[in-house]
Amino acid sequence: MKTFHLPLLCALWALIFTPVTSLQAGETDVLLQILVRKGLLTAAEAAEVKAEMHDQKVEGEGASTPDAVSPASLAATRPPPVRVAVTKPGSRIVDSFTLYGRLQMQYVSLDSDRDMGDTNRFLVRRARIGAKVVLASDWLADIDYTFSSGDFNKAVIGWGGDLGFGPIAIQAGLRKPYVGYEENTSSGSLNAIERSAATRFFTESNNGRRLGAAGYRVGIYLDGNPDATKGKVDGVYYGLAVTNPERPSDAAGAASTGISGINTPATWANLGYAGRVNDLTYTLGAGAGYLPDSGGRVATAGNDLVIYSVYGDVRFGAFRVGGEYLTATVDGGIGAGTEVNPEGFWLQTEYAFNAHWLGAVRYSRVDSDGRGVRTSDGLRSAPSALVGDTLDELYAGFNYDIMGSDLRFQLGYVYGHSVGPNGSETISGVRSQVQVNF
């Protein structure tokens, strides 16, 4: 990530790009005083700039006229220009601007034993770019957009601080409520390339089988002790949110008015603890979401949906073990007047052989309770010919981290097995990925 501090940049732009010999000493002092008064420079920074300008002028004392410092000679010594948008001083104060992104390229080869078209494709899995602006008084704006799918990953305005009972963060906009531990793990940190079949079935868009019960929502979010949520500090963390009930992708986007007749907000809550015992670190937590009018084969007024998640993550030396159990109550889950209670879980273990090589094995299972699940509902890019009732998934692979997760290569074996009233289907093959985070 590259962070630009704009107040200092504005001042240096005015001073450095002015030929030294064209400013008299008094003019320099007046200009610096104005910049300090407007808050664009501190007194210490102004003194440093003045000293540097003095040194530059002394070095060029052999020049008899201002023309002796030519544009060509200045261009030869200046760094490449930084292109940023500068707001009017005094109307907005920008403390920092951060540009970040992610690029993931995949090759997938998955076969079905049901004699159908197999998957053998190169994919631009993610091509994302984001920008974060930190304003004065602990405010921020953060936008993250995926060009490969045409969706926002984040679009929030937020404030963070301490109101006397610990640090909190309040955000308004598009993001994920903290329900579903793996769902809230960054796609750039997934050591098994894709999220598990259980996570995908419960959280991704409702297609008549998957539930769409978590993931991206537009609303208002409160996070208590957010650094503990990210594992940066120990302690209790919690979250509350009120959002639209539907995922934006299920209702024509984040700016739409949603699904006709479905307007009751969803509510979310989570509670967890991040701790340490000697060299062992752990995270334990739970979350729940109540989504009115979001049950049924498609979201239907009068049919509600509730999701629950319990998770744990333990690290000790080179070992890591994590897992999550998910369940839901779906009104009208397989038709009017019915209720289904699908369940799922995933369990993953990892071992870091050294600073560059890491192995990961994950097992996941979905029991749809009669709602139905295809292999493609749980295994991304998989061919699918059968609607089963259960789905088992196995992933085993390794990561080669060239520069941590910021530059990494991943390769793994993928297996899926679905069973239902009409038989079974088995998927097997490989998935690989090259990733750059910046």
Side-chain angles (χ1 to χ4, degrees):
M1 294 184 181
K2 182 69 174 176
T3 302
F4 306 102
H5 294 280
L6 295 187
L8 181 57
L9 182 62
C10 295
L12 293 180
W13 189 278
L15 294 174
I16 294 175
F17 289 95
T18 302
V20 174
T21 53
S22 67
L23 286 175
Q24 302 300 319
E27 294 174 331
T28 301
D29 291 341
V30 171
L31 178 57
L32 289 172
Q33 290 171 7
I34 293 173
L35 293 173
V36 170
R37 186 169 64 250
K38 289 186 173 292
L40 297 176
L41 285 177
T42 66
E45 289 169 343
E48 291 176 5
V49 172
K50 183 176 180 179
E52 290 174 5
M53 293 184 66
H54 177 268
D55 293 342
Q56 185 177 352
K57 185 174 182 179
V58 169
E59 291 173 1
E61 282 181 349
S64 58
T65 67
D67 292 336
V69 183
S70 68
S73 64
L74 282 174
T77 59
R78 292 173 185 159
V82 177
R83 300 187 183 277
V84 295
V86 181
T87 57
K88 179 182 177 182
S91 63
R92 301 183 186 94
I93 302 299
V94 177
D95 285 346
S96 66
F97 173 84
T98 303
L99 183 69
Y100 59 91
R102 178 170 304 142
L103 188 60
Q104 294 174 334
M105 302 296 183
Q106 289 188 6
Y107 170 71
V108 184
S109 178
L110 298 175
D111 301 334
S112 169
D113 67 349
R114 299 282 292 195
D115 255 349
M116 61 172 304
D118 300 327
T119 300
N120 188 31
R121 306 292 295 175
F122 293 97
L123 306 173
V124 179
R125 180 64 180 91
R126 290 182 178 89
R128 294 170 51 170
I129 193 75
K132 180 178 179 180
V133 176
V134 177
L135 307 174
S137 303
D138 301 314
W139 286 84
L140 63 82
D142 196 348
I143 303 172
D144 185 354
Y145 187 79
T146 298
F147 291 90
S148 52
S149 61
D151 294 322
F152 284 99
N153 294 283
K154 186 187 297 181
V156 297
I157 298 172
W159 175 88
D162 192 330
L163 298 180
F165 48 86
I168 66 168
I170 301 173
Q171 295 183 343
L174 171 70
R175 50 163 277 195
K176 295 178 181 180
Y178 208 80
V179 174
Y181 185 68
E182 189 182 37
E183 174 67 13
N184 278 276
T185 299
S186 168
S187 60
S189 301
L190 295 173
N191 288 326
I193 304 182
E194 294 287 350
R195 295 182 174 90
S196 67
T199 295
R200 292 198 64 215
F201 178 82
F202 278 84
T203 67
E204 293 196 4
S205 292
N206 183 346
N207 61 359
R209 299 176 301 275
R210 290 193 308 248
L211 303 183
Y216 299 106
R217 296 294 194 282
V218 179
I220 299 175
Y221 299 83
L222 183 149
D223 297 294
N225 200 11
D227 283 343
T229 307
K230 302 171 185 175
K232 295 181 179 180
V233 300
D234 295 346
V236 175
Y237 60 85
Y238 60 91
L240 300 169
V242 179
T243 73
N244 295 338
E246 77 282 347
R247 291 172 59 107
S249 57
D250 293 338
S256 77
T257 55
I259 301 172
S260 177
I262 298 178
N263 292 303
T264 304
T267 53
W268 310 81
N270 66 277
L271 178 67
Y273 184 84
R276 178 184 302 272
V277 178
N278 297 324
D279 294 330
L280 182 147
T281 61
Y282 62 92
T283 299
L284 302 172
Y290 171 63
L291 295 78
D293 305 323
S294 298
R297 287 290 187 184
V298 297
T300 307
N303 288 325
D304 298 337
L305 171 60
V306 185
I307 181 175
Y308 306 94
S309 161
V310 180
Y311 57 87
D313 192 351
V314 179
R315 306 185 191 206
F316 180 74
F319 286 96
R320 179 181 182 183
V321 178
E324 182 174 18
Y325 170 77
L326 301 114
T327 187
T329 299
V330 188
D331 294 341
I334 55 176
T338 66
E339 178 183 290
V340 298
N341 301 103
E343 298 178 294
F345 73 88
W346 60 267
L347 182 66
Q348 183 166 319
T349 182
E350 303 168 8
Y351 181 76
F353 298 97
N354 53 43
H356 297 289
W357 291 94
L358 179 143
V361 177
R362 181 184 66 209
Y363 172 68
S364 177
R365 179 175 174 82
V366 175
D367 182 343
S368 72
D369 193 27
R371 184 174 171 89
V373 57
R374 288 183 178 269
T375 54
S376 58
D377 293 330
L379 282 68
R380 188 172 297 279
S381 314
S384 180
L386 174 77
V387 177
D389 192 44
T390 64
L391 174 61
D392 294 274
E393 176 219 17
L394 176 67
Y395 173 91
F398 68 87
N399 300 343
Y400 177 60
D401 291 347
I402 302 169
M403 298 178 64
S405 62
D406 290 337
L407 179 57
R408 117 183 319 181
F409 172 75
Q410 299 172 276
L411 175 66
Y413 170 74
V414 179
Y415 171 87
H417 184 65
S418 179
V419 178
N422 299 316
S424 66
E425 181 176 17
T426 298
I427 302 295
S428 62
V430 297
R431 183 184 300 275
S432 61
Q433 179 170 274
V434 178
Q435 169 179 289
V436 174
N437 290 320
F438 61 90

